[in-house]
Amino acid sequence: MKCVELNGVSFGYSGAKSKIFDNINISVNKSAITAICGRNGAGKSTLLKLIAGINKAASGSVIIDNKEIRAYHKRELALKMAYVDQNFNQDLPLKVADIINLGNYPREMIVHDNRREFNSHFRDATDSTGVRYLLDRNYNLLSGGEKQKVMIARAVCQSSEIILLDEPTSSLDIGNKVEIKELLLKFNKQNGSTIIMVSHDLNEVSAVADYTILVDGNKIVTGRTDDVLSDVNLEACFYTKINRFYENGRVVFYY
């Protein structure tokens, strides 16, 4: 079952000489983990922002759960889908509890201060991400891994239905990468969350993603991850040979 569809979508930034995407068609399966990968500047984050509704398609349609994204009220869309930016290290002089509770903002405007519901969503988000011990801490004093978990908790507080993440592990050490990866797998398996994530790490994509969207501007290959990450597709996208070996039945890429 599809939960996200891009039909004939074109997009280009204002003032640019050419479009980044021209008449592309992409679909994302519900309750699966889908990775968007490709070389630097290929349009990965741009595509994720089109799905999130941050970037507006010049033509074509973006469909979320069988409804055109333009037909959603902002609050309704926010309760359907949460977006985690890659700039989680920005200066935010707030306590962790206040940042996570921002996920309740669209819900607060609808239910008019139903604190029981706020507490339920807040509690579920903090418990599922394991950040309850950080609630009284200043966000700016956290480690990179802690900050990213807090941002994921804020997103889950907002909506665990569709979670969009832009390079969630890009600047983290190996231990934190593994922890974030396990969190995403947990949300997907236990909650049935649809997760769409941008990643430039082929090993991460291979380990986590059920499906992959390989982006090179307007050249897009989609499908099951093992099929998309073929030698032919990777060399065409990255302009170099990427080696692989198999360990415990899993492919490992090295460059």
Side-chain angles (χ1 to χ4, degrees), residues 28-93:
V28 174
N29 287 320
K30 193 177 187 66
S31 300
I33 299 179
T34 298
I36 302 173
C37 67
R39 58 185 176 81
N40 290 343
K44 303 185 297 295
S45 296
T46 300
L47 177 58
L48 191 72
K49 289 178 179 178
L50 276 167
I51 295 171
I54 298 169
N55 290 337
K56 310 298 182 184
S59 60
S61 58
V62 178
I63 310 295
I64 309 295
D65 275 347
N66 299 313
K67 183 176 178 179
E68 164 65 51
I69 197 169
R70 293 186 180 93
Y72 279 93
H73 189 282
K74 287 184 178 180
R75 299 174 195 168
E76 181 188 10
L77 186 62
L79 294 174
K80 170 76 65 177
M81 184 165 55
Y83 172 80
V84 181
D85 195 279
Q86 60 180 294
N87 297 317
F88 59 86
N89 270 320
Q90 60 188 306
D91 184 34
L92 294 172

Side-chain angles (χ1 to χ4, degrees), residues 48-252:
L48 191 72
K49 289 178 179 178
L50 276 167
I51 295 171
I54 298 169
N55 290 337
K56 310 298 182 184
S59 60
S61 58
V62 178
I63 310 295
I64 309 295
D65 275 347
N66 299 313
K67 183 176 178 179
E68 164 65 51
I69 197 169
R70 293 186 180 93
Y72 279 93
H73 189 282
K74 287 184 178 180
R75 299 174 195 168
E76 181 188 10
L77 186 62
L79 294 174
K80 170 76 65 177
M81 184 165 55
Y83 172 80
V84 181
D85 195 279
Q86 60 180 294
N87 297 317
F88 59 86
N89 270 320
Q90 60 188 306
D91 184 34
L92 294 172
L94 296 170
K95 284 190 175 182
V96 167
D98 295 327
I99 288 177
I100 295 172
N101 201 45
L102 289 174
N104 271 317
Y105 180 67
R107 189 172 295 109
E108 181 173 6
M109 300 176 80
I110 292 173
V111 299
H112 303 294
D113 207 28
N114 184 339
R115 291 297 166 186
R116 180 177 298 176
E117 185 173 3
F118 292 172
N119 290 338
S120 172
H121 288 278
F122 180 89
R123 183 174 59 252
D124 290 346
T126 55
D127 288 348
S128 63
T129 53
V131 298
R132 182 166 287 276
Y133 73 102
L134 296 173
L135 293 180
D136 291 328
R137 297 269 300 276
N138 186 316
Y139 177 82
N140 289 337
L141 300 180
L142 303 182
S143 69
E146 289 170 334
K147 287 180 176 179
Q148 184 63 305
K149 284 194 290 183
V150 168
M151 286 304 177
I152 292 174
R154 180 206 54 76
V156 172
C157 182
Q158 177 182 322
S159 173
S160 61
E161 192 169 340
I162 304 173
I163 303 175
L164 311 178
L165 305 106
D166 196 351
E167 300 203 32
T169 65
S170 62
S171 61
L172 303 183
D173 61 39
I174 293 174
N176 281 305
K177 283 179 183 282
V178 171
E179 195 168 355
I180 296 300
K181 180 188 76 174
E182 290 176 348
L183 268 181
L184 300 181
L185 288 168
K186 174 183 175 182
F187 294 136
N188 173 247
K189 302 305 179 187
Q190 293 185 4
N191 302 334
S193 301
T194 300
I195 295 173
I196 307 173
M197 56 180 282
V198 169
S199 178
H200 64 269
D201 185 339
L202 295 179
N203 288 313
E204 179 177 73
V205 171
S206 176
V208 174
D210 303 300
Y211 300 91
T212 294
I213 303 169
L214 187 62
V215 179
D216 185 8
N218 216 49
K219 301 173 186 175
I220 295 175
V221 180
T222 66
R224 290 201 167 271
T225 294
D226 288 346
D227 296 330
V228 171
L229 300 186
S230 68
D231 291 338
V232 171
N233 289 337
L234 293 178
E235 288 180 31
C237 181
F238 294 101
Y239 310 124
T240 188
K241 181 175 177 57
I242 296 176
N243 301 296
R244 71 179 73 206
F245 66 90
Y246 291 87
E247 183 178 66
N248 298 324
R250 188 173 71 84
V251 64
V252 177

Side-chain angles (χ1 to χ4, degrees), residues 6-27:
L6 276 67
N7 299 324
V9 167
S10 298
F11 176 82
Y13 289 105
S14 178
K17 293 182 179 179
S18 60
K19 296 176 183 176
I20 298 174
F21 300 118
D22 188 13
N23 196 35
I24 62 170
N25 297 285
I26 295 172
S27 62

